[in-house]
Every structure is written in structure tokens, then in C-alpha cells.
């Protein structure tokens, strides 16, 4: 199968030649250097060739999506070339009826009804996982097989719950397309059963302190980018949610050179819709400062290594744990349970403050009012006690970044 690099670096020769991908798809490299996506198939007993468009205007992922759509037409007894159904597909990027255009129209009508954080998650998931594959296709031309192909790409990287969320968002887009006369059915509504089920219940977590230290030692001793390892350390030192670490902005950190440094996570990024103040220990400040040579030029502490204007991949920390042998035993979110179990066992009198450190909001109005008192001095003390406990036996932060990896650029 082809790769983006292989297609990009293919050089022209004296005669045109083909580089095969899979299932009939190939890139046709012309002597002039121009490259065209084409597909070979049989119709009526004869071999046919279909042209999808030029590279790089049509990417490898888009060409594969077009191939899958064409093959689905063939299975339904429709010759895509003769029916002329692929022409709108290829030009849809310049029209108002592409899936991406319809999805953005749907999003604009609804985003004001959602919290900013949720609105960002919705459009970001479509931009990351859907538009690159099928954004140029008209929703009225898409089939369940095409939709399932998109969702399987998400599922195959281990993000099963994300695949289900994206399926629901795609379904909402199709319903909008039906209501506005740009589709006749919702293919996303019928593929749910074909996805792996989401395993509900408590997320796996190691709550024994000694075992947690051993796990951290194995993870931090693995071959990984220093930025990913620093994200991992910030996660378990602060016990905030993984998404709050991934989305951390430099502008959210205050007084790092002072005596009372804090990280103020705005309500737009918090699950409960309230600002969350995280008192920072010297250990955490050291992690933040260690990040500066790598990512200070970007808004986020943890940018994506390939697309640094976006945040780190949502599964990066999970992959780190999995590679160290903790798949199914501990997930990034599990450090909140590790912290809660350890600290509540040692300091039961501070249960309410510990809950506040986890940004848990009590359903009891009186308790909620109590939480508004913040208790920052005690939270800072407990944070230091937790850091001292969990870091026992771990390498210093300087060693964590001493590899030969280059900064994010």
C-alpha cells in the first residue's frame, strides 16, 4: 500500500507509470511530473478506469474514500463512470453541498447551545477524523459502508468511545442534510451495531501506591518524546483530567517565579463548567519550565508533534501506558483514583479539600458553598505531600528530557 511520503516523493520518468495502492486504486505519475489518482475496476465484463483527480489536490486519504464510495456503487450494480455520480463527488469541495459544508452549517446553528469546551470538541473531532476522509463528498452520495470506513479508522487506534461519539455527530449532520434537501437518508444511523461496544463502568486504575510508583518508573523509562513524558508527569502530579493537561495553555499559568504559583484552568475547559485553580508545587513548576525549550513558541504546552498549532493527540498518554504493559490495567484518567485513594487514606480529615482538588462538585448546596472557600493553603500542602509520595524513587525531571529528541517545530 502507498504512503503519503511515497506518493509525494515519486519522481517522473521518461514514460508514465503507476504506483499501486489497494483494491484497484493507483497513482499515475506522468512524465511532466503531474500525478493523478485513478482506479481500475470491471463493469459489464470489461476493465474500466476511473479518474478521481490530481495529487495533491486529492490526498491519499481522500482518494481511498472515493475508491470505497465507487466500489459501493459497483456492488449496487451502478457503473460510477457511466452514471456520472462521481463527478459531483470530485467537485464537491467547491460547492455548498459537500459533507464538510453541511456539517459546518449544522455546527454554526447549534454551537451557541453548547458549552464552549463541548463545541470545540465537536468541531475538532470532525476536522480531525471525518473531513480529511470524506469532507468533499456530498452527503446524499454517501453510503453506510463509507461511514463505517471512517469510523473504523477511529476505532482501530483504540478510541472506541470517540468512534461512537463521532458516529452520532455524523448522524446529526445527515439529519440536517435531509431536512435541507441535500440527502435522503442517514447512513450513520445504521452502522452503530457494526462498531465495537463501549465498555462502560469504572476506568481501570492502579490505586496501590507502590504499584503506581513501579508503573511510573516503567513508563518514564521507555523510549518516548520528552514532551509526552512531561505531559505524563504533569498529569500524575496534579491529578487533573487528561483533557485538561492536553489542552493546557501557557497563558493559564501564573506566578511561576513567585512563592504561590497557580494554574487556572478556565471554566470553558472544565467538565463542571467552573474555573479550577491548581496550586503548583516546585515539582510541577520544574515540569513546566522543562517544557519551555520544546514548546514555548506555541500557545499550548503540549502541541501535536505533526501539527503544532493543535493539541497533543488524545490517545498519546494512553499509548504510553499501553506500551509499558499497562493496557487494561491503568488509563491516564486513573491517576485521579490513585491520588484520591492515597490521600483520603492518609488524610481522611481532608476529604472535602481533596474533593475540591479533584474539581468534584458536591450535589449538596451547602457543601458546594463550602467548596467555594478554595482552601488554597491546605491544597498546596496536600499537593506537596502527594508529589513527595508519588515521586519517591523516580528520576529527576532533568533526566526525563535528557534524550536526543528535537523540540517541536
Amino acid at each position: 500500500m502507498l504512503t503519503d511520503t511515497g506518493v509525494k516523493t515519486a519522481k517522473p520518468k521518461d514514460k508514465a507509470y503507476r504506483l499501486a495502492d489497494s483494491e484497484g486504486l493507483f497513482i499515475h505519475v506522468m512524465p511532466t511530473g503531474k500525478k493523478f489518482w485513478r482506479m481500475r475496476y470491471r463493469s459489464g465484463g470489461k476493465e474500466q478506469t476511473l479518474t478521481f483527480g490530481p495529487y495533491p489536490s486529492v490526498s491519499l486519504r481522500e482518494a481511498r474514500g472515493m475508491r470505497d464510495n465507487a466500489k459501493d456503487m459497483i456492488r449496487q450494480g451502478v457503473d460510477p463512470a457511466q452514471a456520472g455520480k462521481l463527478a459531483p463527488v470530485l467537485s464537491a469541495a467547491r460547492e455548498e453541498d459537500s459533507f464538510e459544508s453541511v456539517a459546518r452549517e449544522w455546527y454554526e446553528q447549534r454551537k451557541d447551545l453548547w458549552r464552549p469546551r463541548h463545541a470545540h470538541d465537536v468541531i475538532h473531532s470532525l476536522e480531525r477524523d471525518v473531513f480529511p476522509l470524506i469532507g468533499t463528498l456530498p452527503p446524499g452520495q454517501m453510503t453506510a459502508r463509507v461511514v463505517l470506513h471512517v469510523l473504523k479508522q477511529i476505532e482501530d487506534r483504540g478510541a472506541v468511545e470517540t468512534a461512537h461519539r463521532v458516529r452520532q455527530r455524523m448522524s446529526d449532520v445527515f439529519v440536517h442534510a435531509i431536512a435541507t434537501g441535500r440527502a435522503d437518508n442517514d447512513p450513520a444511523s445504521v452502522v452503530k451495531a457494526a462498531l465495537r461496544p463501549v465498555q462502560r463502568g469504572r476506568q481501570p486504575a492502579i490505586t496501590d501506591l507502590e504499584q503506581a510508583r513501579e508503573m511510573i518508573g516503567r513508563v518514564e523509562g521507555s523510549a518516548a518524546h520528552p514532551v509526552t513524558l512531561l505531559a505524563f508527569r504533569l498529569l500524575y502530579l496534579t491529578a487533573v483530567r487528561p483533557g485538561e493537561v492536553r489542552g493546557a495553555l501557557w497563558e493559564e499559568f501564573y506566578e511561576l517565579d513567585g512563592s504561590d504559583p497557580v494554574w487556572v484552568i478556565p471554566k470553558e475547559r472544565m467538565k463542571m463548567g467552573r474555573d479550577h485553580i491548581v496550586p503548583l508545587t516546585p515539582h510541577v513548576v520544574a515540569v513546566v519550565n522543562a517544557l519551555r525549550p520544546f514548546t514555548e513558541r506555541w500557545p499550548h504546552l503540549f502541541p501535536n508533534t505533526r501539527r503544532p498549532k493543535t493539541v497533543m493527540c488524545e490517545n498519546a498518554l494512553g499509548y504510553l501506558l499501553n506500551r509499558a504493559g499497562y493496557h487494561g490495567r491503568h488509563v491516564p484518567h486513573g491517576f485521579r483514583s490513585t491520588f484520591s485513594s492515597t490521600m483520603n487514606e492518609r488524610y481522611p480529615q481532608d476529604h472535602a479539600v481533596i474533593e475540591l482538588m479533584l474539581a468534584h462538585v458536591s450535589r449538596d448546596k451547602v457543601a458546594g458553598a463550602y467548596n467555594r472557600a478554595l482552601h488554597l493553603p491546605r491544597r498546596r500542602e496536600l499537593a506537596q505531600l502527594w508529589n513527595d509520595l508519588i515521586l519517591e524513587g523516580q528520576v529527576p525531571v532533568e533526566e526525563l528530557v535528557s534524550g536526543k529528541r528535537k523540540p517541536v517545530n
Side-chain angles (χ1 to χ4, degrees), residues 3 10 13 26 42 67 75 78 97 110 113 124 127 171 197 202 253 255 263 279 305 336 371:
T3 63
K13 299 180 180 179
F26 63 91
R42 297 190 71 84
R67 173 203 61 196
R75 272 188 286 273
V78 178
D97 293 339
R110 285 160 177 74
L113 303 176
H124 180 63
E127 291 173 339
S171 182
R202 300 186 66 177
F253 290 80
E255 302 296 331
W263 174 15
T305 54
R336 291 169 62 78
N371 283 347

Side-chain angles (χ1 to χ4, degrees), residues 37-338:
W37 289 110
R38 294 191 167 110
M39 171 186 162
R40 300 175 69 178
Y41 68 102
R42 297 190 71 84
S43 179
K46 296 182 180 180
E47 186 173 281
Q48 306 283 350
T49 301
L50 204 60
T51 299
F52 293 140
Y55 175 86
S57 297
V58 177
S59 69
L60 173 59
R61 297 178 71 184
E62 290 171 332
R64 286 173 176 166
M66 293 175 181
R67 173 203 61 196
D68 293 340
N69 197 55
K71 290 180 75 69
D72 197 68
M73 291 181 189
I74 294 167
R75 272 188 286 273
Q76 296 175 32
V78 178
D79 184 337
Q82 295 300 321
K85 289 188 175 181
L86 215 57
V89 171
L90 299 177
S91 62
R94 298 184 297 274
E95 298 176 356
E96 296 180 356
D97 293 339
S98 68
F99 183 86
E100 180 173 350
S101 295
V102 176
R104 291 190 183 279
E105 180 181 300
W106 163 81
Y107 171 76
E108 288 298 324
Q109 290 186 1
R110 285 160 177 74
K111 67 177 184 180
D112 291 341
L113 303 176
W114 301 325
R115 287 180 176 171
R117 179 189 177 194
H118 177 67
H120 173 268
D121 288 346
V122 168
I123 194 63
H124 180 63
S125 68
L126 296 175
E127 291 173 339
R128 179 191 61 218
D129 296 320
V130 181
F131 297 162
L133 283 172
I134 60 167
T136 60
L137 307 184
Q141 296 280 348
M142 292 167 60
T143 63
R145 185 179 184 277
V146 173
V147 172
L148 185 60
H149 171 74
V150 173
L151 299 175
K152 284 295 185 182
Q153 303 297 306
I154 306 171
E155 194 179 75
D156 288 347
R157 68 173 190 249
V160 177
E161 190 166 356
T162 299
H164 282 267
R165 286 198 297 266
V166 171
R167 184 209 65 81
Q168 182 58 59
R169 290 161 189 172
M170 292 180 71
S171 182
D172 290 343
V173 173
F174 281 116
V175 170
H176 180 75
I178 294 169
T180 55
R182 288 173 282 187
D184 297 320
N185 61 83
D186 172 14
S189 66
V190 300
V191 302
K192 183 178 182 179
L195 295 175
R196 291 205 300 265
V198 176
Q199 298 296 322
R200 299 295 182 185
R202 300 186 66 177
Q203 300 190 64
I206 292 175
T207 56
D208 178 82
L209 183 59
E210 287 301 323
Q211 293 181 22
R213 288 172 179 151
E214 180 184 354
M215 170 182 57
I216 290 169
R218 289 184 179 180
V219 171
E220 294 189 340
S222 64
H225 196 288
V227 172
T228 308
L229 292 174
L230 289 170
F232 181 75
R233 179 161 289 196
L234 183 66
L235 178 71
Y236 71 74
L237 289 181
T238 60
V240 301
R241 296 178 179 88
E244 293 154 11
V245 167
R246 289 175 48 247
L249 295 160
W250 288 102
E251 64 185 27
E252 294 172 357
F253 290 80
Y254 299 89
E255 302 296 331
L256 291 180
D257 297 329
S259 59
D260 297 311
V262 293
W263 174 15
V264 181
I265 308 175
K267 62 182 180 182
E268 292 79 11
R269 295 206 306 109
M270 292 299 300
K271 180 178 180 180
M272 303 309 295
R274 290 172 51 175
D275 291 348
H276 181 50
I277 300 177
V278 183
L280 303 182
T281 66
H283 295 298
V284 176
V285 172
V287 170
V288 175
N289 286 332
L291 279 163
R292 294 189 184 280
F294 295 93
T295 65
E296 192 174 27
R297 76 192 74 176
W298 306 109
H300 295 93
L301 274 69
F302 305 106
N304 189 294
T305 54
R306 295 181 180 178
R307 299 178 299 278
K309 291 184 180 180
T310 62
V311 300
M312 173 184 288
C313 170
E314 65 177 312
N315 296 311
L317 296 175
Y319 290 153
L320 199 62
L321 283 160
N322 293 346
R323 288 196 297 270
Y326 289 89
H327 178 70
R329 299 171 59 193
H330 191 90
V331 295
H333 195 275
F335 282 115
R336 291 169 62 78
S337 296
T338 311

Side-chain angles (χ1 to χ4, degrees), residues 375-392:
H375 305 283
L376 287 177
R378 184 56 179 162
R379 286 165 65 185
R380 194 177 297 278
E381 292 172 358
L382 290 172
Q384 185 63 58
L385 291 167
W386 162 248
N387 283 192
D388 291 341
L389 285 169
I390 198 65
L391 282 173
E392 185 177 316

